[in-house]
C-alpha cells in the first residue's frame, strides 16, 4: 500500500487510515515504542516528516505523521466551521486512541505547531510533551485575529487577510498548483529566498497576487519527483480545505476564551530556521517563553535554514528532536537555551 500512496514513503513505514468519530484520518507510521504524533503545516502533507519518521523509529519511538483534515488522504469537510481548532484537537486525540495508546508526544510545524500547542493546552491528559517547529507558542490575546492581521502591511495586504475570502486564493493557486507550490516553498527556504528575506512575500500589493513575489527557483531540499507528488495531492483535493484553517482563526479565538494568556506547562521544545520570517514577526512570543513555556527544554535557531526547517536541515533537526525526546524520561532538563 505504501508505494501506491507515495513512492517516497520511507523504507519500513506503512500507510493506513484510522477511524475517528465521523471520519477517517490517513497517517504514515514507522517504529515501535512511545508514540510521537507529527502534525504538518500549510501547504504540506504527512510527506513533510519523511526524514523524521525513520530517525524516530531508529531511536525507539513509534512515529506517526498524519494528513491533517483538509489535506491529502484525510477528509476535507465543506463547512469552514469544521476546521476550528477544537476539531483538530479532537482528531489528534482520536488518532491516539485509534492507535491503541493513551498518551503521546505531539510535534507540529507551521500551522501544525499551533495545532500541537492547542492540543497540549486543551488535552494535557493525552499530550504529555509538545515540540513546536517554525511558529512559537503565543497564548490567546485580547484582539480578534483577523482584526490584528488587517492592521499589518499598510497599503498592502497581509497574506492571512488575503486568504480569508473563500475562493479568492484558490483562484490564484489552483490553475497552476505545481508552479505555485514550487514558488512558495522556494521563496520561504533559506537557500533560495530573496536577498531581502522571505518577509516581503507575505504582503500582497493592491490588485496583485501573493505569487507575484515568489522566486522562480526549485527548492533544493525537494526533488522534482517529490514536488510532483505534492502537487498531485493538492490537484486532487484542491486548496479549500487547507485554506479553511486560516478562515477559522476567529472561531479559535472564541473557543479559547477561557485560556487567555494560558501557558503550556508540559515539557517542550522549540526549533526554527534562523531566516524564518515568523521569528521576526513573533519575536515577542519567543521572548515570552520563560512564562508561556515554563517546561521549555531548549530553543534553537538553525543556521541558514528558512521556514521548512525539518526538511531543509533534517539531520540537525533529527538530532535536536531525539535528544529532547530522550530527556523526557531522563534527568531534570537544563535551563532553557537558545542556539544557532
Amino acid at each position: 500500500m505504501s508505494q501506491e500512496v507515495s513512492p517516497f514513503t520511507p523504507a519500513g513505514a506503512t500507510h493506513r487510515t484510522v477511524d475517528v468519530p465521523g471520519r477517517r484520518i490517513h497517517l504514515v507510521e514507522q517504529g515501535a515504542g512511545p508514540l510521537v504524533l507529527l502534525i504538518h503545516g500549510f501547504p504540506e502533507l504527512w510527506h513533510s516528516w519523511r526524514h523524521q519518521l525513520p530517525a524516530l523509529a531508529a531511536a525507539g519511538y513509534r512515529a506517526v505523521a498524519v494528513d491533517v483534515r483538509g489535506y491529502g488522504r484525510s477528509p476535507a469537510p465543506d463547512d469552514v466551521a469544521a476546521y476550528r481548532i477544537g476539531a483538530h484537537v479532537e482528531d489528534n486525540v482520536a488518532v491516539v486512541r485509534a492507535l491503541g495508546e493513551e498518551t503521546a508526544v505531539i510535534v507540529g510545524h507551521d500551522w501544525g505547531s499551533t495545532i500541537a500547542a492547542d492540543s497540549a493546552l486543551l488535552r494535557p491528559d493525552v499530550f504529555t510533551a509538545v515540540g513546536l517547529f517554525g511558529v512559537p507558542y503565543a497564548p490567546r490575546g485580547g484582539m480578534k485575529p483577523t482584526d490584528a492581521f488587517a492592521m499589518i502591511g499598510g497599503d498592502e495586504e497581509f497574506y492571512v487577510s488575503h486568504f480569508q475570502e473563500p475562493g479568492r486564493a484558490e483562484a490564484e493557486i489552483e490553475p497552476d498548483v505545481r508552479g505555485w507550490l514550487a514558488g512558495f516553498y522556494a521563496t520561504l527556504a533559506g537557500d533560495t529566498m530573496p536577498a531581502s528575506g522571505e518577509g516581503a512575500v507575505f504582503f500582497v500589493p493592491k490588485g496583485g497576487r501573493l505569487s507575484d513575489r515568489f522566486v522562480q527557483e526549485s527548492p533544493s531540499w525537494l526533488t522534482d519527483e517529490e514536488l510532483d507528488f505534492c502537487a498531485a495531492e493538492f490537484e486532487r483535493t484542491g486548496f479549500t480545505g487547507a485554506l479553511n484553517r486560516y478562515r477559522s482563526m476567529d472561531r479559535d479565538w472564541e473557543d479559547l476564551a477561557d485560556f487567555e494568556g494560558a501557558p503550556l506547562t508540559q515539557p517542550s521544545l522549540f526549533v526554527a530556521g534562523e531566516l524564518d520570517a515568523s521569528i521576526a514577526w513573533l519575536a515577542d512570543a519567543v521572548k515570552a517563553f520563560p512564562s508561556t513555556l515554563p517546561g521549555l527544554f531548549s530553543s534553537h535557531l538553525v543556521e541558514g535554514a528558512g521556514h521548512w526547517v525539518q526538511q531543509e536541515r533534517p539531520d540537525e533537526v533529527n538530532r535536536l528532536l531525539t535528544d529532547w525526546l530522550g530527556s523526557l524520561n531522563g534527568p531534570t532538563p537544563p535551563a532553557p537555551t537558545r542556539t544557532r
Side-chain angles (χ1 to χ4, degrees):
M1 180 179 180
S2 296
Q3 297 304 312
E4 294 176 5
V5 176
S6 167
F8 308 106
T9 305
T14 58
H15 291 254
R16 61 187 289 199
T17 56
V18 297
D19 291 317
V20 301
R23 57 204 169 276
R24 292 170 65 81
I25 296 294
H26 170 252
L27 56 84
V28 181
E29 178 179 12
Q30 188 167 4
L35 178 60
V36 181
L37 191 62
L38 304 168
I39 312 298
H40 68 77
F42 175 90
E44 300 177 276
L45 302 159
W46 71 266
H47 178 265
S48 68
W49 299 107
R50 65 197 178 282
H51 302 298
Q52 284 67 54
L53 288 166
L56 291 174
Y61 298 94
R62 184 184 187 186
V64 173
V66 302
D67 275 339
V68 173
R69 66 163 60 196
Y71 289 85
R73 306 283 164 154
S74 291
D78 293 330
D79 186 4
V80 175
Y83 295 85
R84 64 201 316 153
I85 197 64
H88 289 283
V89 174
E90 290 172 3
D91 282 349
N92 293 335
V93 172
V95 166
V96 172
R97 299 287 187 252
L99 293 172
E101 305 287 352
E102 295 297 321
T103 62
V105 174
I106 190 166
V107 178
H109 170 255
D110 184 79
W111 260 122
S113 178
T114 300
I115 293 171
D118 287 334
S119 295
L121 180 68
L122 297 175
R123 293 302 304 267
D125 57 316
V126 176
F127 300 106
T128 57
V130 57
L132 308 175
F133 286 15
V135 174
Y137 174 61
R140 180 196 190 273
M143 181 178 290
K144 189 164 65 173
T146 54
D147 290 342
F149 287 119
M151 298 170 62
I152 300 175
D155 292 335
E156 298 189 335
E157 185 179 38
F158 194 51
Y159 82 106
V160 173
S161 300
H162 178 69
F163 285 171
Q164 292 303 308
E165 181 183 345
R168 182 182 175 195
E170 289 93 328
E172 172 185 339
I173 300 168
E174 292 178 355
D176 180 14
V177 169
R178 190 185 190 282
W180 195 93
L181 285 175
F184 193 69
Y185 292 154
T187 304
L188 275 62
D191 61 349
T192 48
M193 68 174 55
S196 59
E198 70 172 36
V201 74
F202 290 104
F203 296 91
V204 182
K206 287 184 178 179
R209 303 173 304 169
L210 186 65
S211 56
D212 289 342
R213 289 174 173 159
F214 288 177
V215 297
Q216 301 302 312
E217 296 187 53
S218 296
S220 62
W221 42 269
L222 193 70
T223 67
D224 286 344
E225 293 77 15
E226 287 176 320
L227 180 58
D228 288 341
F229 164 71
C230 295
E233 289 291 271
F234 281 104
E235 286 167 351
R236 183 177 55 80
T237 63
F239 265 78
T240 297
L243 290 162
N244 278 344
R245 177 85 282 275
Y246 289 92
R247 296 164 185 162
S248 296
M249 299 175 76
D250 287 348
R251 294 178 176 86
D252 299 348
W253 183 77
E254 294 166 359
D255 293 346
L256 295 172
D258 292 339
F259 293 87
E260 184 161 347
L264 286 180
T265 59
Q266 294 97 318
S268 57
L269 171 74
F270 180 69
V271 179
E274 68 165 343
L275 303 178
D276 193 332
S278 300
I279 303 306
W281 295 330
L282 298 172
D284 288 344
V286 174
K287 291 177 183 177
F289 279 171
S291 59
T292 60
L293 293 177
L296 184 68
F297 176 76
S298 56
S299 175
H300 305 268
L301 296 181
V302 178
E303 185 175 0
H307 184 62
W308 320 105
V309 62
Q310 81 271 27
Q311 299 185 72
E312 295 180 53
R313 299 290 190 275
D315 291 343
E316 184 169 353
V317 167
N318 291 345
R319 178 182 59 80
L320 294 171
L321 184 54
T322 54
D323 285 353
W324 170 63
L325 290 169
S327 79
L328 297 178
N329 295 315
T332 302
T337 62
R338 177 186 175 98
T339 67
R340 287 188 177 272

